[in-house]
Amino acid sequence: MGIKGLTKLLVDNAPTAMKEQKLESYFGRRIAVDASMSIYQFLVVVGRKGTQMLINEAGEVTSHLQGMLYRTIRLLEAGIKPVYVFDGPPPDLKKQELAKRFSKRAAGSEELAVAIASRNKEDIEKFSKRTVKVTQQHNEDCKRLLRLIGVPVVEAPSEAEAQFAALCKAGKVYAVASEDMDSLTFGAPIFLRHLMDPSSRKVPVMEFEIPKILEEMNLDMDQFIDLCILSGDYCIGGLTALKLIHQHGSIENILENINKYQIPDNWPYSEARLLFKEPIVSMEEKPEINTPNEE
DNA sequence: ACTCTGGCTCAAGACGCA
DNA sequence: TTGAGCCAGAGT
DNA sequence: TGCGTCC
């Protein structure tokens, strides 16, 4: 859903709103992390060869636990206090998208079956990735693991991105770490990318500050949200969207003044906007670090 | 000629021992 | 799934 | 740095 070239758009139009940071500069900070996204990555990549994954004696997948445990240890060693945020039920607006994913996975399964039958290793490799799905069980496994080692877990009432942006706005965490640029659209004041990248890959932590982005791009937050919706849902690029917003101020005004772009039928931009502006989040008490449970 | 978009591809975690 | 990089084609 | 292992 995110804008394709948002990073590049920011590099070009708001260069000082982002800066390279060292991991050490977050020592002692509480940082929110998107758990579901991480679990997905672990399932795709950890110990997977063809259809093989890491499993326990009962044959249950443990790739996500392996990945989650080591990553959390790395964060703790760096003096970072992670707060993992789990997805809740998705908003209605995303149902369509989810249906698409479902059929893609189904198609992936079929192709995988063909690949297995014909013993085509490359295809098995490719299609097995497409069938990956984070289940409730995977989520529960990870919550349990995190609670056992005393790392706080937050269960979002809906989208995790929205929830941790809200935590950050409320000052309950210092920053939000994700690879998903939607975090910016949800208005997380400080947004970190590549927090987990090993130093060997020489990708520095990139820190984005929303207030600076808005100032430098000469937008208010509503306009920034419109910009993201405009170029996310819809077939124009970020640069054009930015120009249009500067010119007309809002999606409504753009639609009134411009006819040359093809408008999707029943384009639900105002629903999308509401999702970003007033997302469903919970404001429970500050997530506390629990004492590690002996086991 | 230049810019933008869109379609394609790719890689993706973390450890430790050579 | 996600972003990024590269190439081709459309629009200016 | 590259590659096998983690379960």
Side-chain angles (χ1 to χ4, degrees), chain A residues 57-116:
Chain A
E57 290 147 10
E60 296 157 338
V61 174
T62 54
S63 297
H64 54 311
L65 294 171
Q66 177 86 13
M68 182 68 79
L69 179 61
Y70 277 106
R71 172 167 291 178
T72 306
I73 290 169
R74 278 185 71 209
L75 288 170
L76 293 172
E77 276 177 348
I80 293 168
K81 299 168 185 165
V83 175
Y84 282 93
V85 183
F86 286 78
D87 270 315
D92 288 349
L93 195 61
K94 299 220 165 152
K95 289 240 169 88
Q96 237 185 322
E97 194 59 37
L98 293 173
K100 264 190 224 160
R101 274 185 216 174
F102 182 85
S103 56
K104 268 192 186 172
R105 252 200 320 276
S109 302
E110 282 176 31
E111 291 182 281
L112 178 61
V114 172
I116 290 171

Side-chain angles (χ1 to χ4, degrees), chain A residues 96-159:
Chain A
Q96 237 185 322
E97 194 59 37
L98 293 173
K100 264 190 224 160
R101 274 185 216 174
F102 182 85
S103 56
K104 268 192 186 172
R105 252 200 320 276
S109 302
E110 282 176 31
E111 291 182 281
L112 178 61
V114 172
I116 290 171
S118 60
R119 301 180 190 283
N120 182 333
K121 278 193 181 168
E122 279 178 28
D123 280 2
I124 292 175
E125 189 66 25
K126 186 163 65 179
F127 294 128
S128 60
K129 285 184 196 170
R130 291 193 200 165
T131 61
V132 169
K133 160 121 169 74
V134 179
T135 65
Q136 196 53 35
Q137 186 61 51
H138 296 137
N139 280 312
E140 294 307 322
D141 292 346
C142 288
K143 285 178 202 169
R144 175 145 181 264
L145 171 68
L146 292 168
R147 285 175 178 137
L148 284 172
I149 59 178
V151 170
V153 166
V154 172
E155 306 196 38
S158 187
E159 294 180 278

